[in-house]
Amino acid sequence: MSLTDPAIFLSLVIFLPALAALVLAFFPRGSEGAMKLFSLLTTIVVCLLTLAIPAGLVNTTFVAGEAGMQNLISLPWIPTFDIHYLLALDGISFPLVILTSFLSVLAFGASWNINKHVKAYCILFLLLETGMLGVFMGLDFFLFYVFWEVMLLP
């Protein structure tokens, strides 16, 4: 499996902000500028990763005229209840994923002047981005619900 594998790539797009939020939790106090810069760079990288899909830079290409789900990933998650880690993109979710990643960059840039509880803000912002991206890509109802709840936390 490589980074260009659809399962790895789509999961990376979703969970990169959450991993960055985990890294932010270990930033020392007093480094608010570094926290903001790290969070902004994370949102920019996620935006570039989503833009790599229509550019054809990865194996997860998206064909605009093709009907149905594309880049389908189905891995058993909780087999007892027939719950799968099921991700895909379609003609509605794909533009929303790109729009979400782009607006996340703009929103974080617009909130650069926030100076109270910077670490908490950055962590919650990145978790919000993870939830929003997961909502648009998750196809299993349970997975969708988990991402929806993550999105409601911040």
Side-chain angles (χ1 to χ4, degrees):
M1 294 187 115
S2 69
L3 181 63
T4 59
D5 182 44
I8 300 290
F9 188 78
L10 292 181
S11 296
L12 178 68
V13 167
I14 293 174
F15 291 110
L16 183 63
L19 291 173
L22 181 64
V23 170
L24 271 175
F26 295 104
F27 271 52
R29 289 185 183 197
S31 60
E32 283 82 10
M35 290 178 202
K36 290 178 185 179
L37 185 62
F38 181 74
S39 300
L40 180 63
L41 289 176
T42 301
T43 58
I44 290 171
V45 167
V46 170
C47 185
L48 292 175
L49 286 174
T50 59
L51 291 174
I53 297 171
L57 300 176
V58 291
N59 286 343
T60 56
T61 56
F62 186 81
V63 180
E66 186 176 318
M69 296 295 169
Q70 299 179 39
N71 302 313
L72 185 71
I73 302 155
S74 180
L75 301 170
W77 184 18
I78 306 172
T80 307
F81 298 106
D82 197 30
I83 296 172
H84 295 271
Y85 179 73
L86 188 62
L87 300 175
L89 294 170
D90 65 354
I92 295 173
S93 65
F94 182 61
L96 292 173
V97 166
I98 291 178
L99 183 64
T100 299
S101 64
F102 178 68
L103 287 177
S104 294
V105 173
L106 292 180
F108 197 85
S111 65
W112 193 263
N113 293 330
I114 290 179
N115 294 318
K116 287 185 174 182
H117 308 289
V118 173
K119 182 187 260 188
Y121 175 77
C122 292
I123 289 172
L124 290 173
F125 187 91
L126 292 172
L127 288 176
L128 174 67
E129 186 178 15
T130 294
M132 289 187 298
L133 292 170
V135 160
F136 292 131
M137 285 192 240
L139 293 181
D140 187 87
F141 181 71
F142 187 79
L143 182 66
F144 173 83
Y145 179 75
V146 168
F147 283 127
W148 182 265
E149 289 299 321
V150 167
M151 186 179 63
L152 293 177
L153 284 175

